[in-house]
Amino acid sequence: MPFAQLVTSGIELAMNQLLKLDDDSQQGLKKLSGKSLQVSIKELPWPLLFTFSEQIDVRTVITSDQDLEPTSLSVDCLIELNLETLPKLRDSSQLTQLIQQKQLNLIGDIYVAQTFSALLKDLDIDWEEQLSGYTGDVVAHQTFSSMRALFDTAKTQIEQGAIELGERLTQSDSIAVKPSEMFEFSRGVSELRGATERLSARVALIEQKKKVDTGSNN
Amino acid sequence: MSAPETPETTTQHEQTTHFGFKQVESSQKVNMVKEVFQSVAAKYDIMNDLMSLGVHRLWKRYTIDCSGVRAGHKVLDLAGGTGDLTAKFSRIVGESGQVVLADINDAMLKVGRDKLRDKGIVGNVEYVQANAEALPFPDNSFDIITIAFGLRNVTDKDKALASMYRVLKPGGRLLVLEFSKPSNEMLNKAYDMYSFHLLPKIGQLVANDAASYQYLAESIRMHPEQEVLKAMMETAGFEQTTFKNLTGGIVALHRGFKF
């Protein structure tokens, strides 16, 4: 089974489905109509070729086939990067910076890369609206309300947990013996030792006195 | 099941040819193939998906990936049937390019045209009913010619390849996607079992037509295997001819250039 074609097929299906869920995406796609973008990700064995029309077509470029000669294609824009840099492409304003930092190699029309990046970043999908198409408004609203409540509760719990943990960490700090406390404790122990010695001396004195009194009576 | 020992195209007498495992008058084959596709046209797409478990879409994608197609190209999708390749080519070549979907069978062409128009694919697609053996186009007209799962149904394949060579521009390429011979003997046996026992039953169940799918299985066995087709393409004038087996050789993609 042609694995690369299975991957591109999946990417193409996912992208076009997501674009269909956002009515405004067609305007962004129109700006790219007729353009092509090749993305070479270093970790992938084959480059991905995006062709833009009323939808996005994703292909591979056959370059390393043993039986078929390499196919060369001319594209409007070619970018080379690694997987780590890929998420940063969502912010089109970072493109120039990434090129300067040599994290991204770009040949051709930067506008194509920027517009594609903006198209993905600006996707705004109303998932509740999408669900209501299948379940009706009430169920969709209740489902999303419950999910939001659940999310809020979880968020609150996490925040509260973090505060409590912080407090406990602070408290454990105050439990630790400070030098002044240690000094006070040592002084107390010395006073107690002095008092004990004095008491012991007095007891010895009383005992001695008692012995003398008992001898004179006899 | 093995195919009878008959030549794959017309015999030395130029009178008879094969139709599946049967020998028929050459002049009859066109109409017999036409009847098969008239019968299956309406269920063609769903049967393709069922028979191949959807893998035919990946084979077609691979063909497009090997085509080197780009904006502005003029493409001939020969035996284009229900327009799977045409749809994608149309979006890639854009307004400055053109795709011609050609098929000998008007029923298939009609299904293809309706399907593509329903998808909004209009403007750069032309529909032509044409016989691959005598293509009705001027010399050096196309950058790319594809024929996917069509060549085995052509009566005179050498004539068809020569016709394709004529209408291809210098520098252009021909891609032939067609069922072929599995390279592994075990796979070959399993494939035979599937083709001759299961396939006609699926055809009966879904398209109410077991005979057409029996013909499909037989015509695949009668189609020239990889090296033979490569030699035929070279004889027609194609250069740098290569092929790639897909899914263990169940299908092969042949590619040749005209210089």
Side-chain angles (χ1 to χ4, degrees):
Chain A
M1 189 184 292
F3 180 67
Q5 284 65 35
L6 186 65
V7 172
T8 53
S9 171
I11 296 171
E12 183 180 297
L13 185 70
M15 279 189 153
N16 287 309
Q17 287 299 324
L18 286 173
L19 291 176
K20 270 185 199 167
L21 298 179
D22 179 10
D23 294 338
D24 296 336
S25 68
Q26 279 303 318
Q27 288 178 340
L29 203 52
K30 241 177 207 170
K31 291 180 196 165
L32 287 167
S33 186
K35 304 281 184 193
S36 54
L37 167 71
Q38 184 173 320
V39 180
S40 297
I41 299 168
K42 281 168 190 159
E43 288 83 355
L44 278 186
W46 9 260
L48 298 171
L49 180 61
F50 298 84
T51 308
F52 304 98
S53 55
E54 68 277 7
Q55 69 165 70
I56 301 175
D57 284 278
V58 187
R59 294 182 277 156
T60 57
V61 183
I62 306 291
T63 53
S64 58
D65 206 302
Q66 289 182 344
D67 301 318
L68 296 174
E69 290 295 314
T71 292
S72 59
L73 285 172
S74 60
V75 291
D76 295 296
C77 180
L78 186 150
I79 53 180
E80 292 172 331
L81 73 169
N82 55 33
L83 266 180
E84 203 183 316
T85 315
L86 194 61
K88 295 176 188 168
L89 287 188
R90 286 198 68 183
D91 186 356
S92 58
S93 62
Q94 276 199 13
L95 287 179
T96 316
Q97 198 183 341
L98 290 170
I99 294 167
Q100 282 168 350
Q101 290 168 353
K102 298 199 173 167
Q103 290 185 52
L104 176 73
N105 184 23
L106 189 145
I107 302 164
D109 187 359
I110 193 170
Y111 171 80
V112 176
Q114 281 174 330
T115 313
F116 183 49
S117 167
L119 179 70
L120 298 181
K121 190 187 166 194
D122 297 343
L123 267 181
D124 182 19
I125 298 166
D126 185 348
W127 292 107
E128 187 175 325
E129 176 69 25
Q130 298 305 323
L131 183 66
S132 70
Y134 299 97
T135 62
D137 289 345
V138 177
V139 175
H141 180 69
Q142 280 176 347
T143 305
F144 272 81
S145 299
S146 306
M147 279 170 65
R148 269 192 289 268
L150 196 69
F151 178 75
D152 289 344
T153 309
K155 196 179 165 191
T156 311
Q157 292 284 340
I158 290 168
E159 282 172 358
Q160 208 166 341
I163 292 167
E164 278 177 21
L165 183 68
E167 279 175 358
R168 287 190 182 189
L169 285 172
T170 316
Q171 280 171 359
S172 73
D173 249 350
S174 69
I175 287 167
V177 180
K178 292 175 184 171
S180 58
E181 287 173 333
M182 190 65 194
F183 176 76
E184 195 63 28
F185 175 74
S186 301
R187 199 174 59 82
V189 170
S190 298
E191 277 180 7
L192 185 62
R193 189 186 292 128
T196 310
E197 283 172 357
R198 280 195 300 277
L199 181 65
S200 176
R202 283 188 66 188
V203 169
L205 196 65
I206 291 167
E207 277 180 345
Q208 199 179 2
K209 197 177 173 185
K210 196 178 175 186
K211 274 181 189 173
V212 172
D213 288 347
T214 310
S216 61
N217 287 337
N218 288 337
Chain B
M1 191 177 288
S2 61
E5 293 288 323
T6 50
E8 59 81 28
T9 57
T10 49
T11 66
Q12 59 271 39
H13 305 295
E14 298 293 330
Q15 296 295 318
T16 63
T17 187
H18 59 78
F19 176 76
F21 289 166
K22 294 183 203 124
Q23 281 294 306
V24 297
E25 294 287 322
S26 294
S27 54
Q28 290 180 336
K29 181 168 173 174
V30 172
N31 284 332
M32 293 173 87
V33 170
K34 185 178 175 184
E35 279 172 24
V36 167
F37 283 92
Q38 297 275 24
S39 166
V40 301
K43 302 273 183 172
Y44 187 77
D45 282 341
I46 191 165
M47 275 303 290
N48 277 348
D49 281 334
L50 268 176
M51 288 186 303
S52 70
L53 300 173
V55 180
H56 74 102
R57 295 176 187 276
L58 301 180
W59 295 330
K60 287 171 183 167
R61 271 181 171 272
Y62 186 81
T63 305
I64 290 170
D65 289 354
C66 290
S67 71
V69 64
R70 61 171 184 262
H73 268 168
K74 192 170 176 186
V75 181
L76 172 62
D77 180 12
L78 197 51
T82 54
D84 284 345
L85 291 173
T86 296
K88 208 162 185 64
F89 277 136
S90 164
R91 290 191 294 267
I92 295 168
V93 301
E95 289 170 6
S96 57
Q98 193 193 17
V99 186
V100 176
L101 195 165
D103 203 300
I104 195 168
N105 191 291
D106 58 339
M108 292 292 286
L109 210 53
K110 190 172 180 307
V111 172
R113 188 180 55 201
D114 291 348
K115 187 174 117 182
L116 295 183
R117 286 184 179 170
D118 286 348
K119 282 184 173 178
I121 297 168
V122 286
N124 64 356
V125 180
E126 203 177 299
Y127 302 88
V128 176
Q129 189 174 358
N131 185 340
E133 294 169 25
L135 292 169
F137 307 107
D139 295 358
N140 309 323
S141 304
F142 297 96
D143 298 289
I144 296 158
I145 299 177
T146 58
I147 178 164
F149 306 114
L151 190 64
R152 71 176 190 285
N153 297 314
V154 175
T155 307
D156 190 337
K157 294 174 185 62
D158 292 315
K159 204 171 165 187
L161 288 169
S163 184
M164 291 176 219
Y165 185 81
R166 180 183 64 78
V167 300
L168 197 61
K169 285 181 189 173
R173 69 183 81 182
L174 167 69
L175 295 133
V176 181
L177 181 69
E178 190 53 271
F179 292 107
S180 207
K181 188 174 165 49
S183 44
N184 180 294
E185 203 45 47
M186 289 288 283
L187 178 64
N188 204 16
K189 281 184 181 153
Y191 183 48
D192 266 356
M193 289 277 287
Y194 168 75
S195 307
F196 289 104
H197 297 286
L198 198 57
L199 199 60
K201 286 191 175 69
I202 299 174
Q204 180 61 41
L205 209 66
V206 179
N208 196 27
D209 183 357
S212 293
Y213 288 92
Q214 179 71 28
Y215 162 73
L216 170 71
E218 291 176 5
S219 67
I220 291 169
R221 298 308 180 281
M222 297 303 293
H223 186 67
E225 61 183 63
Q226 290 88 331
E227 287 294 347
V228 179
L229 180 55
K230 181 174 176 255
M232 286 167 71
M233 285 173 70
E234 283 165 351
T235 306
F238 289 98
E239 294 178 52
Q240 291 183 15
T241 307
T242 48
F243 68 85
K244 167 81 175 169
N245 282 334
L246 301 171
T247 318
I250 288 176
V251 161
L253 176 68
H254 283 72
R255 188 168 75 174
F257 291 82
K258 175 180 177 179
F259 293 117

